[in-house]
Amino acid sequence: MRVQLISGIFLILFSCSSESTDTRQEEVMETKNIDWQGHRGARGLMPENTVAGFLKALEFPVTTLELDVVISKDGKVIVSHEPWFSSEICSVDNGDSIRIYDLTADEIATIDCGSKIHQRFPQQQKLFTSKPVLEEVVHAVASYCEENNRPPPNFNIELKSMPEWYTIFVPEPPIFTAIVLSEIDRLEISERTTIQSFDPDILNEVFKTKPLVKTAFLVENLKDKRNLFPVLSQQPDIYSPHYSLLNKQEVKEMHKKGMKVIPWTVNDLPTMRALITMHVDGIITDYPNLITKVVHP
């Protein structure tokens, strides 16, 4: 009787252990298929949208660098989340009132957007650095990858645009998209670039002029979510909502429609793991250093 009891306990423990191991192995495989994206480079660790930030992200297993672009007075593609100099990150008086669209790329390069302490990201390393042109980022990334024998990453480029900004902060969509698409062609990164935007007019221009470029529709709230299809002339390649809007059923439905699902901006391990169990295709994070901690084989 005692032998049978011990045997039964052993079988239960072995079964639980096997199930746990199988689950962990499944999680590991799912994690390997995730498109890990460094948000604005590595915003949690370095100043956002800077060359130093993108190179920092490449120290970790990111597959894509996520970044934002606007246009300067002289028609250069500037890497910046806002079409002005946010007082939260830039060391310039009245930065919020200085439009990037009114300055040349050389003038923009003189303004420090890396030394100021960022209250929301206390781990950021600080350094004097400015908003770069896209070309500078692409060349720096290529050099880093060659020197470190690292596969080149993809680029997920957000065009920062909304109707009330047209001609004031950014060009109108036909001009904005033409400038950016021409630049990614010139830099020979079109095949590994996704164009993303909250502005459907931007994506519709891409559909019309460069249909082979991958696209992602950014969604921030339920209103945007409801407008996903009516406002677009065709279906994007990627549905990219704030992670809080997602559930497993919706991921499944988007997959049935032929779209990948890549949520933003996910900065903690439990949420990353929960999204992986929903079978998302990618995760955008400010902390690429968390990637290797998501699943321990």
Side-chain angles (χ1 to χ4, degrees):
M1 183 71 166
R2 180 170 178 156
V3 172
Q4 290 177 338
L5 179 61
I6 293 173
S7 298
I9 293 172
F10 175 78
L11 286 172
I12 291 171
L13 291 175
F14 178 78
S15 175
C16 292
S17 175
S18 297
E19 289 177 7
S20 176
T21 300
D22 290 343
T23 301
R24 179 61 66 188
Q25 288 175 342
E26 184 179 348
E27 288 177 352
V28 170
M29 290 305 297
E30 289 176 346
T31 304
K32 287 181 179 178
N33 294 326
I34 293 290
D35 178 11
W36 291 105
Q37 301 197 12
H39 185 238
R40 306 186 200 177
R43 181 168 62 154
L45 309 174
M46 296 292 288
E48 66 178 62
N49 281 323
T50 61
V51 170
F54 295 119
L55 298 187
K56 184 67 176 179
L58 294 176
E59 294 178 12
F60 308 101
V62 299
T63 43
T64 298
L65 295 174
E66 191 274 351
L67 59 140
D68 314 275
V69 298
V70 294
I71 304 298
S72 66
K73 182 179 180 179
D74 50 347
K76 298 296 178 66
V77 181
I78 305 297
V79 182
S80 175
H81 184 259
E82 296 85 15
W84 55 77
F85 293 88
S86 170
S87 59
E88 187 175 40
I89 64 172
C90 298
S91 302
V92 58
D93 293 337
N94 301 316
D96 293 346
S97 64
I98 303 175
R99 295 180 297 190
I100 289 175
Y101 202 27
D102 290 338
L103 301 178
T104 66
D106 287 343
E107 291 170 328
I108 292 164
T110 66
I111 298 175
D112 174 31
C113 292
S115 300
K116 200 169 185 178
I117 299 298
H118 200 308
Q119 299 299 324
R120 292 186 290 126
F121 298 97
Q123 295 180 43
Q124 269 192 8
Q125 297 179 43
K126 309 316 298 178
L127 72 158
F128 186 98
T129 188
S130 60
K131 296 179 183 292
V133 294
L134 179 61
E135 179 179 20
E136 183 182 358
V137 172
V138 171
H139 288 335
V141 166
S143 295
Y144 178 95
C145 291
E146 185 176 353
E147 291 168 5
N148 292 275
N149 195 29
R150 187 197 195 283
N154 296 317
F155 294 94
N156 186 11
I157 301 176
E158 180 184 350
L159 276 62
K160 301 302 297 188
S161 176
M162 57 181 69
E164 52 267 39
W165 287 0
Y166 298 169
T167 73
I168 301 170
F169 292 105
V170 294
E172 292 185 338
I175 299 173
F176 196 170
T177 55
I179 292 172
V180 174
L181 292 173
S182 175
E183 185 67 352
I184 65 173
D185 275 346
R186 188 180 73 83
L187 296 171
E188 299 181 342
I189 59 170
S190 294
E191 291 185 358
R192 50 194 177 97
T193 293
T194 297
I195 298 296
Q196 62 173 350
S197 188
F198 287 100
D199 186 351
D201 291 339
I202 290 289
L203 296 185
N204 286 334
E205 281 296 325
V206 177
F207 296 149
K208 182 169 63 176
T209 60
K210 197 84 168 178
L212 295 182
V213 170
K214 286 186 290 187
T215 53
F217 190 38
L218 291 164
V219 172
E220 186 171 15
N221 52 48
L222 291 174
K223 180 182 177 182
D224 291 339
K225 190 174 175 180
R226 286 192 293 269
N227 287 337
L228 176 59
F229 295 106
V231 297
L232 294 176
S233 60
Q234 69 183 61
Q235 181 175 286
D237 299 286
I238 299 165
Y239 172 58
S240 190
H242 186 269
Y243 72 88
S244 64
L245 298 176
L246 274 182
N247 57 60
K248 194 166 187 175
Q249 181 59 34
E250 182 171 55
V251 173
K252 188 175 181 179
E253 290 173 1
M254 293 300 175
H255 284 166
K256 284 183 178 178
K257 294 178 185 294
M259 285 184 289
K260 291 186 176 181
V261 179
I262 302 179
W264 53 273
T265 300
V266 189
N267 289 336
D268 66 88
L269 295 175
T271 304
M272 288 179 177
R273 290 185 177 122
L275 288 165
I276 289 168
T277 64
M278 294 182 198
H279 304 295
V280 298
D281 301 282
I283 289 176
I284 302 172
T285 181
D286 289 316
Y287 294 96
N289 56 313
L290 293 181
I291 296 172
T292 55
K293 299 178 182 179
V294 175
V295 174
H296 297 283

PDB file of all heavy atoms in Angstrom, residues 31-53:
ATOM      1  N   THR A  31       8.689  32.769 -28.092  1.00  0.00           N
ATOM      2  CA  THR A  31       9.525  33.938 -27.879  1.00  0.00           C
ATOM      3  C   THR A  31      10.523  34.110 -29.015  1.00  0.00           C
ATOM      4  O   THR A  31      10.816  35.223 -29.448  1.00  0.00           O
ATOM      5  CB  THR A  31      10.269  33.822 -26.534  1.00  0.00           C
ATOM      6  OG1 THR A  31       9.313  33.642 -25.499  1.00  0.00           O
ATOM      7  CG2 THR A  31      11.071  35.072 -26.246  1.00  0.00           C
ATOM      8  N   LYS A  32      11.057  32.994 -29.514  1.00  0.00           N
ATOM      9  CA  LYS A  32      12.030  33.060 -30.605  1.00  0.00           C
ATOM     10  C   LYS A  32      11.415  33.620 -31.875  1.00  0.00           C
ATOM     11  O   LYS A  32      12.120  34.161 -32.732  1.00  0.00           O
ATOM     12  CB  LYS A  32      12.615  31.669 -30.861  1.00  0.00           C
ATOM     13  CG  LYS A  32      13.592  31.206 -29.793  1.00  0.00           C
ATOM     14  CD  LYS A  32      14.154  29.839 -30.114  1.00  0.00           C
ATOM     15  CE  LYS A  32      15.158  29.404 -29.053  1.00  0.00           C
ATOM     16  NZ  LYS A  32      15.690  28.043 -29.329  1.00  0.00           N
ATOM     17  N   ASN A  33      10.101  33.490 -32.017  1.00  0.00           N
ATOM     18  CA  ASN A  33       9.433  33.978 -33.220  1.00  0.00           C
ATOM     19  C   ASN A  33       8.955  35.418 -33.099  1.00  0.00           C
ATOM     20  O   ASN A  33       8.370  35.959 -34.034  1.00  0.00           O
ATOM     21  CB  ASN A  33       8.234  33.074 -33.545  1.00  0.00           C
ATOM     22  CG  ASN A  33       8.672  31.666 -33.929  1.00  0.00           C
ATOM     23  OD1 ASN A  33       9.723  31.490 -34.543  1.00  0.00           O
ATOM     24  ND2 ASN A  33       7.876  30.670 -33.565  1.00  0.00           N
ATOM     25  N   ILE A  34       9.194  36.046 -31.964  1.00  0.00           N
ATOM     26  CA  ILE A  34       8.741  37.413 -31.729  1.00  0.00           C
ATOM     27  C   ILE A  34       9.668  38.419 -32.422  1.00  0.00           C
ATOM     28  O   ILE A  34      10.890  38.303 -32.366  1.00  0.00           O
ATOM     29  CB  ILE A  34       8.701  37.722 -30.213  1.00  0.00           C
ATOM     30  CG1 ILE A  34       7.624  36.893 -29.523  1.00  0.00           C
ATOM     31  CG2 ILE A  34       8.466  39.209 -29.949  1.00  0.00           C
ATOM     32  CD1 ILE A  34       6.220  37.279 -29.863  1.00  0.00           C
ATOM     33  N   ASP A  35       9.057  39.413 -33.073  1.00  0.00           N
ATOM     34  CA  ASP A  35       9.814  40.537 -33.624  1.00  0.00           C
ATOM     35  C   ASP A  35       9.997  41.551 -32.487  1.00  0.00           C
ATOM     36  O   ASP A  35       9.121  42.341 -32.189  1.00  0.00           O
ATOM     37  CB  ASP A  35       9.045  41.164 -34.789  1.00  0.00           C
ATOM     38  CG  ASP A  35       9.755  42.383 -35.376  1.00  0.00           C
ATOM     39  OD1 ASP A  35      10.929  42.629 -35.033  1.00  0.00           O
ATOM     40  OD2 ASP A  35       9.123  43.100 -36.178  1.00  0.00           O
ATOM     41  N   TRP A  36      11.162  41.489 -31.854  1.00  0.00           N
ATOM     42  CA  TRP A  36      11.448  42.381 -30.732  1.00  0.00           C
ATOM     43  C   TRP A  36      11.902  43.739 -31.261  1.00  0.00           C
ATOM     44  O   TRP A  36      12.882  43.837 -31.982  1.00  0.00           O
ATOM     45  CB  TRP A  36      12.527  41.787 -29.830  1.00  0.00           C
ATOM     46  CG  TRP A  36      12.087  40.579 -29.075  1.00  0.00           C
ATOM     47  CD1 TRP A  36      12.416  39.283 -29.321  1.00  0.00           C
ATOM     48  CD2 TRP A  36      11.235  40.559 -27.916  1.00  0.00           C
ATOM     49  NE1 TRP A  36      11.823  38.450 -28.405  1.00  0.00           N
ATOM     50  CE2 TRP A  36      11.094  39.198 -27.531  1.00  0.00           C
ATOM     51  CE3 TRP A  36      10.581  41.545 -27.189  1.00  0.00           C
ATOM     52  CZ2 TRP A  36      10.321  38.823 -26.439  1.00  0.00           C
ATOM     53  CZ3 TRP A  36       9.807  41.156 -26.094  1.00  0.00           C
ATOM     54  CH2 TRP A  36       9.691  39.814 -25.733  1.00  0.00           C
ATOM     55  N   GLN A  37      11.175  44.801 -30.854  1.00  0.00           N
ATOM     56  CA  GLN A  37      11.464  46.128 -31.374  1.00  0.00           C
ATOM     57  C   GLN A  37      11.899  47.078 -30.256  1.00  0.00           C
ATOM     58  O   GLN A  37      11.216  47.199 -29.235  1.00  0.00           O
ATOM     59  CB  GLN A  37      10.230  46.697 -32.080  1.00  0.00           C
ATOM     60  CG  GLN A  37       9.756  45.836 -33.237  1.00  0.00           C
ATOM     61  CD  GLN A  37       8.826  46.564 -34.181  1.00  0.00           C
ATOM     62  OE1 GLN A  37       8.677  47.793 -34.124  1.00  0.00           O
ATOM     63  NE2 GLN A  37       8.193  45.821 -35.079  1.00  0.00           N
ATOM     64  N   GLY A  38      13.020  47.724 -30.480  1.00  0.00           N
ATOM     65  CA  GLY A  38      13.518  48.720 -29.534  1.00  0.00           C
ATOM     66  C   GLY A  38      12.825  50.052 -29.769  1.00  0.00           C
ATOM     67  O   GLY A  38      13.036  50.701 -30.803  1.00  0.00           O
ATOM     68  N   HIS A  39      11.976  50.460 -28.834  1.00  0.00           N
ATOM     69  CA  HIS A  39      11.161  51.665 -28.983  1.00  0.00           C
ATOM     70  C   HIS A  39      11.998  52.932 -28.872  1.00  0.00           C
ATOM     71  O   HIS A  39      12.646  53.177 -27.851  1.00  0.00           O
ATOM     72  CB  HIS A  39      10.067  51.674 -27.907  1.00  0.00           C
ATOM     73  CG  HIS A  39       9.090  52.793 -28.036  1.00  0.00           C
ATOM     74  ND1 HIS A  39       8.876  53.707 -27.031  1.00  0.00           N
ATOM     75  CD2 HIS A  39       8.260  53.150 -29.050  1.00  0.00           C
ATOM     76  CE1 HIS A  39       7.946  54.565 -27.405  1.00  0.00           C
ATOM     77  NE2 HIS A  39       7.562  54.250 -28.628  1.00  0.00           N
ATOM     78  N   ARG A  40      11.983  53.715 -29.946  1.00  0.00           N
ATOM     79  CA  ARG A  40      12.805  54.922 -30.028  1.00  0.00           C
ATOM     80  C   ARG A  40      14.272  54.580 -29.724  1.00  0.00           C
ATOM     81  O   ARG A  40      15.000  55.389 -29.151  1.00  0.00           O
ATOM     82  CB  ARG A  40      12.289  56.020 -29.107  1.00  0.00           C
ATOM     83  CG  ARG A  40      10.816  56.347 -29.320  1.00  0.00           C
ATOM     84  CD  ARG A  40      10.356  57.544 -28.503  1.00  0.00           C
ATOM     85  NE  ARG A  40       8.905  57.530 -28.350  1.00  0.00           N
ATOM     86  CZ  ARG A  40       8.196  58.403 -27.656  1.00  0.00           C
ATOM     87  NH1 ARG A  40       8.823  59.410 -27.042  1.00  0.00           N
ATOM     88  NH2 ARG A  40       6.891  58.299 -27.546  1.00  0.00           N
ATOM     89  N   GLY A  41      14.652  53.367 -30.087  1.00  0.00           N
ATOM     90  CA  GLY A  41      15.991  52.862 -29.796  1.00  0.00           C
ATOM     91  C   GLY A  41      15.938  52.031 -28.537  1.00  0.00           C
ATOM     92  O   GLY A  41      15.563  50.864 -28.553  1.00  0.00           O
ATOM     93  N   ALA A  42      16.291  52.661 -27.438  1.00  0.00           N
ATOM     94  CA  ALA A  42      16.219  52.004 -26.126  1.00  0.00           C
ATOM     95  C   ALA A  42      15.884  53.091 -25.107  1.00  0.00           C
ATOM     96  O   ALA A  42      16.696  53.443 -24.256  1.00  0.00           O
ATOM     97  CB  ALA A  42      17.549  51.327 -25.790  1.00  0.00           C
ATOM     98  N   ARG A  43      14.670  53.628 -25.199  1.00  0.00           N
ATOM     99  CA  ARG A  43      14.306  54.825 -24.434  1.00  0.00           C
ATOM    100  C   ARG A  43      14.471  54.651 -22.936  1.00  0.00           C
ATOM    101  O   ARG A  43      14.750  55.626 -22.214  1.00  0.00           O
ATOM    102  CB  ARG A  43      12.864  55.236 -24.748  1.00  0.00           C
ATOM    103  CG  ARG A  43      12.446  56.498 -24.000  1.00  0.00           C
ATOM    104  CD  ARG A  43      11.165  57.095 -24.494  1.00  0.00           C
ATOM    105  NE  ARG A  43      10.010  56.214 -24.339  1.00  0.00           N
ATOM    106  CZ  ARG A  43       8.750  56.668 -24.225  1.00  0.00           C
ATOM    107  NH1 ARG A  43       8.513  57.975 -24.244  1.00  0.00           N
ATOM    108  NH2 ARG A  43       7.757  55.823 -24.115  1.00  0.00           N
ATOM    109  N   GLY A  44      14.320  53.437 -22.438  1.00  0.00           N
ATOM    110  CA  GLY A  44      14.482  53.238 -21.003  1.00  0.00           C
ATOM    111  C   GLY A  44      15.925  53.312 -20.541  1.00  0.00           C
ATOM    112  O   GLY A  44      16.189  53.479 -19.347  1.00  0.00           O
ATOM    113  N   LEU A  45      16.873  53.210 -21.495  1.00  0.00           N
ATOM    114  CA  LEU A  45      18.285  53.107 -21.149  1.00  0.00           C
ATOM    115  C   LEU A  45      19.136  54.263 -21.668  1.00  0.00           C
ATOM    116  O   LEU A  45      20.160  54.605 -21.063  1.00  0.00           O
ATOM    117  CB  LEU A  45      18.861  51.793 -21.705  1.00  0.00           C
ATOM    118  CG  LEU A  45      18.079  50.523 -21.365  1.00  0.00           C
ATOM    119  CD1 LEU A  45      18.683  49.328 -22.092  1.00  0.00           C
ATOM    120  CD2 LEU A  45      18.059  50.290 -19.859  1.00  0.00           C
ATOM    121  N   MET A  46      18.717  54.859 -22.783  1.00  0.00           N
ATOM    122  CA  MET A  46      19.469  55.944 -23.412  1.00  0.00           C
ATOM    123  C   MET A  46      18.487  56.996 -23.927  1.00  0.00           C
ATOM    124  O   MET A  46      17.297  56.715 -24.108  1.00  0.00           O
ATOM    125  CB  MET A  46      20.299  55.405 -24.589  1.00  0.00           C
ATOM    126  CG  MET A  46      21.380  54.407 -24.222  1.00  0.00           C
ATOM    127  SD  MET A  46      22.739  55.123 -23.258  1.00  0.00           S
ATOM    128  CE  MET A  46      23.562  56.100 -24.522  1.00  0.00           C
ATOM    129  N   PRO A  47      18.970  58.224 -24.195  1.00  0.00           N
ATOM    130  CA  PRO A  47      18.074  59.240 -24.751  1.00  0.00           C
ATOM    131  C   PRO A  47      17.382  58.740 -26.015  1.00  0.00           C
ATOM    132  O   PRO A  47      17.992  58.088 -26.863  1.00  0.00           O
ATOM    133  CB  PRO A  47      19.027  60.405 -25.067  1.00  0.00           C
ATOM    134  CG  PRO A  47      20.136  60.254 -24.071  1.00  0.00           C
ATOM    135  CD  PRO A  47      20.327  58.767 -23.926  1.00  0.00           C
ATOM    136  N   GLU A  48      16.107  59.040 -26.117  1.00  0.00           N
ATOM    137  CA  GLU A  48      15.290  58.491 -27.195  1.00  0.00           C
ATOM    138  C   GLU A  48      15.649  59.032 -28.568  1.00  0.00           C
ATOM    139  O   GLU A  48      16.077  60.179 -28.720  1.00  0.00           O
ATOM    140  CB  GLU A  48      13.815  58.779 -26.928  1.00  0.00           C
ATOM    141  CG  GLU A  48      13.459  60.258 -26.985  1.00  0.00           C
ATOM    142  CD  GLU A  48      11.975  60.495 -26.756  1.00  0.00           C
ATOM    143  OE1 GLU A  48      11.476  60.160 -25.661  1.00  0.00           O
ATOM    144  OE2 GLU A  48      11.324  61.024 -27.675  1.00  0.00           O
ATOM    145  N   ASN A  49      15.462  58.174 -29.572  1.00  0.00           N
ATOM    146  CA  ASN A  49      15.642  58.580 -30.967  1.00  0.00           C
ATOM    147  C   ASN A  49      17.000  59.232 -31.231  1.00  0.00           C
ATOM    148  O   ASN A  49      17.091  60.230 -31.961  1.00  0.00           O
ATOM    149  CB  ASN A  49      14.509  59.531 -31.390  1.00  0.00           C
ATOM    150  CG  ASN A  49      13.222  58.796 -31.715  1.00  0.00           C
ATOM    151  OD1 ASN A  49      13.246  57.706 -32.276  1.00  0.00           O
ATOM    152  ND2 ASN A  49      12.095  59.389 -31.357  1.00  0.00           N
ATOM    153  N   THR A  50      18.033  58.675 -30.618  1.00  0.00           N
ATOM    154  CA  THR A  50      19.393  59.168 -30.836  1.00  0.00           C
ATOM    155  C   THR A  50      20.246  58.031 -31.370  1.00  0.00           C
ATOM    156  O   THR A  50      19.934  56.853 -31.170  1.00  0.00           O
ATOM    157  CB  THR A  50      20.011  59.693 -29.532  1.00  0.00           C
ATOM    158  OG1 THR A  50      20.086  58.623 -28.574  1.00  0.00           O
ATOM    159  CG2 THR A  50      19.193  60.834 -28.949  1.00  0.00           C
ATOM    160  N   VAL A  51      21.347  58.387 -32.013  1.00  0.00           N
ATOM    161  CA  VAL A  51      22.253  57.358 -32.521  1.00  0.00           C
ATOM    162  C   VAL A  51      22.722  56.462 -31.392  1.00  0.00           C
ATOM    163  O   VAL A  51      22.729  55.232 -31.504  1.00  0.00           O
ATOM    164  CB  VAL A  51      23.456  58.005 -33.244  1.00  0.00           C
ATOM    165  CG1 VAL A  51      24.522  56.955 -33.553  1.00  0.00           C
ATOM    166  CG2 VAL A  51      22.994  58.690 -34.527  1.00  0.00           C
ATOM    167  N   ALA A  52      23.089  57.071 -30.250  1.00  0.00           N
ATOM    168  CA  ALA A  52      23.555  56.286 -29.102  1.00  0.00           C
ATOM    169  C   ALA A  52      22.477  55.320 -28.619  1.00  0.00           C
ATOM    170  O   ALA A  52      22.766  54.186 -28.222  1.00  0.00           O
ATOM    171  CB  ALA A  52      23.976  57.217 -27.966  1.00  0.00           C
ATOM    172  N   GLY A  53      21.228  55.750 -28.660  1.00  0.00           N
ATOM    173  CA  GLY A  53      20.129  54.900 -28.224  1.00  0.00           C
ATOM    174  C   GLY A  53      19.907  53.711 -29.144  1.00  0.00           C
ATOM    175  O   GLY A  53      19.658  52.594 -28.689  1.00  0.00           O
TER     176      GLY A  53
END
